Amino acid sequence: MLLLAMDTATPAVTVALHDGESVVAESTQVDARRHGELLLPAVDRVLKEAGLKLDAVTGIVVGVGPGPYTGLRVGLVTAATFASAVGVPVHGLCTLDGLAYASGIEEPFVVATDARRKEVYWARYENRRTRVTDAAVDRPAEIAEQVAGLPVVGAGARLYPEFFPDARDPEHQSAGALAALAAERLAAGADFLDPLPMYLRRPDAQVPKNYKVVTPK
């Protein structure tokens, strides 16, 4: 097994190779505006560090979000392209699940990432492998009572400490953790998500209301 994992659903552009037992190589850069610029060089970097070529990969793992429209598309399109090029499957995982797995927490907790617009993408977990709610997007004040007293993993906790006082690591996504979770699920014969974007809301870019269409006579 050799999994190439990537996630661009958060400000972290993260890529890793995993051989089914451990991370072989990993690259993570945090830059919310340069996903398209940073992802392919990161893939090249981890392959070079491992001394391997893309055709050695047996599967692609990709975080499907939730995340902002543009950044999320970069990872998903790249994953699909690589999978088609080398003839391997794409395994989709919820981005929040990767953060949960990396936390190592074995008690109830929450993962919350930055959704912009003063909102967070979030979900509750029974432990680092078990999500007990669907991913959602809300303002922190709207979910404060639901998550009161629980540790909160992810950038959302640091952005809104008044609502999430018990912030825990990691703050940013790790493709190595995402790949490790995928390796466990593959070994157990578990299902994966389709590699389709989990937006949870409409894109920021919208056609203006009352837009007047002008056509030539």
Side-chain angles (χ1 to χ4, degrees):
M1 179 188 297
L2 184 66
L3 301 175
L4 174 63
M6 63 189 71
D7 196 318
T8 58
T10 72
V13 179
T14 181
V15 178
L17 284 170
H18 195 286
D19 64 6
E21 295 184 0
S22 61
V23 174
V24 177
E26 183 170 10
S27 171
T28 299
Q29 296 168 275
V30 179
D31 191 326
R33 299 182 182 276
R34 299 173 64 208
H35 293 87
E37 180 181 346
L38 296 175
L39 182 57
L40 290 180
V43 173
D44 288 341
R45 195 159 47 248
V46 298
L47 287 169
K48 184 177 181 180
E49 181 180 337
L52 297 168
K53 294 184 178 180
L54 185 61
D55 59 10
V57 169
T58 61
I60 309 291
V61 179
V62 64
V64 303
Y69 183 78
T70 302
L72 181 54
R73 288 174 61 203
V74 171
L76 287 165
V77 170
T78 302
T81 301
F82 284 165
S84 178
V86 296
V88 298
V90 183
H91 308 294
L93 286 174
C94 176
T95 293
L96 303 182
D97 290 355
L99 282 156
Y101 186 83
S103 75
I105 299 175
E106 297 295 349
E107 62 185 13
F109 68 103
V110 173
V111 174
T113 62
D114 183 16
R116 305 175 186 174
R117 304 183 191 175
K118 298 182 179 180
E119 295 177 328
V120 293
Y121 297 117
W122 70 284
R124 288 185 57 165
Y125 290 78
E126 182 64 29
N127 53 57
R128 68 177 182 144
R129 292 178 175 85
T130 310
R131 177 161 42 89
V132 294
T133 66
D134 290 334
V137 58
D138 290 291
R139 290 182 178 270
E142 296 170 343
I143 62 171
E145 290 186 7
Q146 299 179 59
V147 305
L150 296 176
V152 182
V153 169
R158 291 163 174 79
L159 286 170
Y160 305 102
E162 65 274 31
F163 300 110
F164 310 126
D166 189 2
R168 303 286 182 92
D169 290 332
E171 179 178 357
H172 297 294
Q173 177 71 304
S174 159
L178 197 71
L181 176 59
E184 281 193 6
R185 292 188 176 183
L186 282 168
D191 294 330
F192 288 85
L193 299 175
D194 291 331
L196 300 173
M198 186 187 299
Y199 293 130
L200 300 187
R201 67 183 181 205
R202 295 173 64 86
D204 290 336
Q206 301 287 333
V207 175
K209 292 182 179 179
N210 302 318
Y211 180 74
K212 184 178 181 180
V213 178
V214 178
T215 57
K217 293 182 179 180

